[in-house]
């Protein structure tokens, strides 16, 4: 799976939530919606002894950004089972003020996916 295919895979999962989302930097022309998601990922190849790639491990950070902590928690509780059902493993998370969006909260969740 290449990066474009992995983005499509994640987009398909996130579409189910019905929350606006985007890969990479999120910018709005006017006001941000009450809840939205941004995500980024990177991959690390795992190699055979001969140098051929055996598997690829993807690490994904999903940022749920909301003007209300309850809405962020609700979105997270809907996201978690979707990710787990699709083969992701939760790798950590944090909750903080969203520095790029004043008066918003940011719940960040890391997942690993191996292919």
């Amino acid at each position: 799976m290449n990066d474009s295919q992995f983005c499509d895979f994640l987009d398909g999962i996130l579409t189910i939530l019905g929350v606006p989302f985007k890969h990479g930097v999120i910018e709005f022309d006017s006001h941000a919606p009450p809840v939205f998601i941004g995500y980024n990922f990177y991959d690390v190849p795992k190699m055979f002894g001969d140098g051929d790639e055996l598997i690829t491990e993807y690490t994904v950070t999903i940022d749920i950004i909301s003007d209300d902590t309850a809405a962020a928690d609700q979105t997270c509780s809907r996201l978690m089972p979707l990710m787990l059902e699709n083969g992701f493993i939760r790798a950590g998370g944090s909750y903080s003020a969203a520095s790029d969006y004043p008066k918003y909260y940011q719940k960040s969740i890391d997942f690993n996916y191996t292919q």
Side-chain angles (χ1 to χ4, degrees), residues 1-50:
M1 180 179 317
N2 63 34
D3 285 356
S4 177
Q5 292 168 325
F6 191 71
C7 266
D8 290 344
F9 176 51
L10 281 170
D11 289 353
I13 295 168
L14 295 175
T15 298
I16 295 168
L17 294 174
V19 173
F21 66 88
K22 185 173 185 215
H23 173 235
V25 178
I26 305 169
E27 295 180 4
F28 296 100
D29 293 335
S30 57
H31 298 291
V35 179
F36 57 97
I37 292 174
Y39 72 88
N40 284 293
F41 67 89
Y42 64 90
D43 65 86
V44 177
K46 304 296 182 181
M47 306 295 201
F48 277 118
D50 63 4

Side-chain angles (χ1 to χ4, degrees), residues 70-91:
D73 289 340
Q74 180 185 34
T75 302
C76 182
S77 68
R78 293 175 46 227
L79 171 70
M80 291 298 286
L82 287 174
M83 297 298 282
L84 297 175
E85 289 167 11
N86 283 282
F88 289 83
I89 298 169
R90 193 177 80 80

